[in-house]
Short mmCIF file of all heavy atoms in Angstrom, two decimals:
data_model
loop_
_atom_site.label_atom_id
_atom_site.label_comp_id
_atom_site.label_asym_id
_atom_site.label_seq_id
_atom_site.Cartn_x
_atom_site.Cartn_y
_atom_site.Cartn_z
N LEU A 799 14.71 -24.00 -18.99
CA LEU A 799 14.66 -23.39 -17.69
C LEU A 799 16.10 -22.97 -17.20
O LEU A 799 16.22 -21.98 -16.54
CB LEU A 799 14.00 -24.27 -16.65
CG LEU A 799 12.48 -24.32 -16.71
CD1 LEU A 799 11.97 -25.13 -15.55
CD2 LEU A 799 11.85 -22.86 -16.64
N ASP A 800 17.08 -23.78 -17.59
CA ASP A 800 18.46 -23.46 -17.19
C ASP A 800 18.90 -22.15 -17.94
O ASP A 800 19.50 -21.26 -17.34
CB ASP A 800 19.42 -24.63 -17.60
CG ASP A 800 19.24 -25.76 -16.74
OD1 ASP A 800 18.79 -25.59 -15.57
OD2 ASP A 800 19.60 -26.96 -17.16
N ASP A 801 18.50 -22.03 -19.22
CA ASP A 801 18.74 -20.76 -19.95
C ASP A 801 17.98 -19.58 -19.27
O ASP A 801 18.52 -18.47 -19.17
CB ASP A 801 18.31 -20.84 -21.38
CG ASP A 801 19.10 -21.93 -22.10
OD1 ASP A 801 20.31 -22.17 -21.77
OD2 ASP A 801 18.55 -22.50 -23.06
N PHE A 802 16.80 -19.85 -18.88
CA PHE A 802 15.99 -18.78 -18.21
C PHE A 802 16.63 -18.31 -16.97
O PHE A 802 16.71 -17.13 -16.66
CB PHE A 802 14.56 -19.31 -17.96
CG PHE A 802 13.74 -18.46 -17.08
CD1 PHE A 802 13.26 -17.25 -17.66
CD2 PHE A 802 13.31 -18.75 -15.80
CE1 PHE A 802 12.45 -16.38 -16.89
CE2 PHE A 802 12.54 -17.95 -15.06
CZ PHE A 802 12.07 -16.79 -15.64
N ILE A 803 17.19 -19.22 -16.14
CA ILE A 803 17.77 -18.92 -14.91
C ILE A 803 19.04 -18.06 -15.15
O ILE A 803 19.37 -17.06 -14.45
CB ILE A 803 18.15 -20.13 -14.11
CG1 ILE A 803 16.87 -20.86 -13.62
CG2 ILE A 803 19.03 -19.82 -12.86
CD1 ILE A 803 17.08 -22.19 -12.98
N GLU A 804 19.81 -18.44 -16.12
CA GLU A 804 21.04 -17.73 -16.44
C GLU A 804 20.72 -16.31 -16.91
O GLU A 804 21.40 -15.31 -16.66
CB GLU A 804 21.85 -18.46 -17.53
CG GLU A 804 22.57 -19.70 -17.01
CD GLU A 804 23.45 -19.42 -15.83
OE1 GLU A 804 24.22 -18.49 -15.89
OE2 GLU A 804 23.32 -20.11 -14.80
N GLU A 805 19.58 -16.19 -17.74
CA GLU A 805 19.15 -14.91 -18.13
C GLU A 805 18.79 -13.99 -17.04
O GLU A 805 19.00 -12.79 -16.98
CB GLU A 805 18.04 -15.09 -19.17
CG GLU A 805 17.59 -13.81 -19.91
CD GLU A 805 18.71 -13.24 -20.86
OE1 GLU A 805 19.49 -14.02 -21.25
OE2 GLU A 805 18.63 -12.06 -21.08
N LEU A 806 18.03 -14.61 -16.02
CA LEU A 806 17.62 -13.82 -14.90
C LEU A 806 18.90 -13.31 -14.11
O LEU A 806 18.89 -12.19 -13.62
CB LEU A 806 16.82 -14.74 -13.89
CG LEU A 806 15.43 -15.11 -14.38
CD1 LEU A 806 14.83 -16.08 -13.36
CD2 LEU A 806 14.58 -13.82 -14.43
N LYS A 807 19.93 -14.08 -14.05
CA LYS A 807 21.13 -13.64 -13.33
C LYS A 807 21.80 -12.58 -14.15
O LYS A 807 22.30 -11.57 -13.61
CB LYS A 807 22.05 -14.86 -13.18
CG LYS A 807 21.61 -15.90 -12.21
CD LYS A 807 22.63 -17.07 -12.13
CE LYS A 807 22.12 -18.09 -11.21
NZ LYS A 807 23.00 -19.28 -11.07
N LYS A 808 21.77 -12.75 -15.44
CA LYS A 808 22.48 -11.74 -16.35
C LYS A 808 21.75 -10.38 -16.25
O LYS A 808 22.42 -9.40 -16.30
CB LYS A 808 22.47 -12.26 -17.83
CG LYS A 808 23.22 -11.36 -18.78
CD LYS A 808 22.99 -11.88 -20.23
CE LYS A 808 23.60 -13.23 -20.39
NZ LYS A 808 23.38 -13.72 -21.83
N ARG A 809 20.45 -10.46 -16.09
CA ARG A 809 19.65 -9.21 -16.04
C ARG A 809 19.61 -8.60 -14.60
O ARG A 809 19.01 -7.58 -14.40
CB ARG A 809 18.29 -9.42 -16.55
CG ARG A 809 18.19 -9.83 -18.06
CD ARG A 809 16.78 -9.75 -18.55
NE ARG A 809 16.75 -10.24 -19.93
CZ ARG A 809 15.60 -10.06 -20.69
NH1 ARG A 809 14.61 -9.40 -20.28
NH2 ARG A 809 15.64 -10.59 -21.88
N GLY A 810 20.15 -9.35 -13.67
CA GLY A 810 20.23 -8.79 -12.30
C GLY A 810 18.99 -9.11 -11.45
O GLY A 810 18.80 -8.47 -10.35
N TYR A 811 18.21 -10.16 -11.80
CA TYR A 811 17.11 -10.51 -11.00
C TYR A 811 17.44 -11.61 -9.93
O TYR A 811 16.72 -11.75 -8.96
CB TYR A 811 15.98 -11.00 -11.88
CG TYR A 811 15.38 -9.99 -12.76
CD1 TYR A 811 15.50 -9.96 -14.13
CD2 TYR A 811 14.53 -8.95 -12.15
CE1 TYR A 811 14.89 -8.91 -14.98
CE2 TYR A 811 13.96 -7.96 -12.89
CZ TYR A 811 14.16 -8.01 -14.31
OH TYR A 811 13.53 -7.04 -15.08
N LEU A 812 18.48 -12.41 -10.20
CA LEU A 812 18.89 -13.46 -9.37
C LEU A 812 20.34 -13.32 -9.03
O LEU A 812 21.15 -12.87 -9.84
CB LEU A 812 18.62 -14.84 -9.95
CG LEU A 812 17.10 -15.29 -10.04
CD1 LEU A 812 17.10 -16.71 -10.72
CD2 LEU A 812 16.42 -15.21 -8.81
N ARG A 813 20.83 -13.83 -7.86
CA ARG A 813 22.23 -13.89 -7.53
C ARG A 813 22.49 -15.19 -6.83
O ARG A 813 21.54 -15.79 -6.15
CB ARG A 813 22.66 -12.68 -6.70
CG ARG A 813 22.09 -12.74 -5.30
CD ARG A 813 22.68 -11.57 -4.43
NE ARG A 813 22.23 -11.60 -3.07
CZ ARG A 813 21.18 -11.06 -2.56
NH1 ARG A 813 20.36 -10.41 -3.36
NH2 ARG A 813 20.85 -11.17 -1.33
N ASP A 814 23.71 -15.68 -6.90
CA ASP A 814 24.14 -16.83 -6.13
C ASP A 814 24.72 -16.36 -4.78
O ASP A 814 25.55 -15.45 -4.74
CB ASP A 814 25.25 -17.64 -6.88
CG ASP A 814 24.67 -18.31 -8.13
OD1 ASP A 814 23.61 -18.90 -7.99
OD2 ASP A 814 25.37 -18.18 -9.21
N GLU A 815 24.20 -16.92 -3.72
CA GLU A 815 24.60 -16.54 -2.38
C GLU A 815 25.12 -17.74 -1.67
O GLU A 815 24.44 -18.79 -1.64
CB GLU A 815 23.40 -15.98 -1.68
CG GLU A 815 23.74 -15.25 -0.32
CD GLU A 815 24.47 -13.90 -0.54
OE1 GLU A 815 24.31 -13.27 -1.68
OE2 GLU A 815 25.10 -13.51 0.44
#
Side-chain angles (χ1 to χ4, degrees):
L799 284 184
D800 289 335
D801 296 329
F802 173 67
I803 294 171
E804 288 305 311
E805 188 67 23
L806 288 175
K807 293 179 181 178
K808 184 186 299 182
R809 298 192 184 194
Y811 290 109
L812 292 179
R813 70 173 185 270
D814 291 316
E815 191 72 21

